[in-house]
Amino acid sequence: MRWWKLLGLAGVAGVAATGAVIARAERKRRAYTPEEIRERLHTRLAGTAPEIPEQRPSGG
């Protein structure tokens, strides 16, 4: 039964490590100011090609 304890502790350590990584990413994401976010979105939008909607003939 000792290996069950070891497996359980490894699982708990994995969950804690995953939580720490997620928390770090969230802090990094929230560190942006609204102006920085707006600038990044505008830059991303400028890098995409504009989509032209397809014109379908009306079958009247």
Side-chain angles (χ1 to χ4, degrees):
M1 287 304 248
R2 192 173 203 177
W3 60 277
W4 281 106
K5 290 181 184 179
L6 188 58
L7 183 63
L9 287 174
V12 169
V15 169
T18 302
V21 169
I22 290 172
R24 182 182 301 158
E26 184 69 18
R27 281 195 307 270
K28 186 177 180 182
R29 185 183 68 80
R30 289 184 185 218
Y32 292 120
T33 65
E35 291 80 21
E36 288 173 327
I37 293 172
R38 189 175 301 113
E39 181 182 331
R40 288 171 58 101
L41 289 173
H42 283 291
T43 303
R44 187 183 305 170
L45 180 64
T48 61
E51 292 184 21
I52 301 172
E54 185 178 311
Q55 296 287 333
R56 294 185 183 170
S58 55

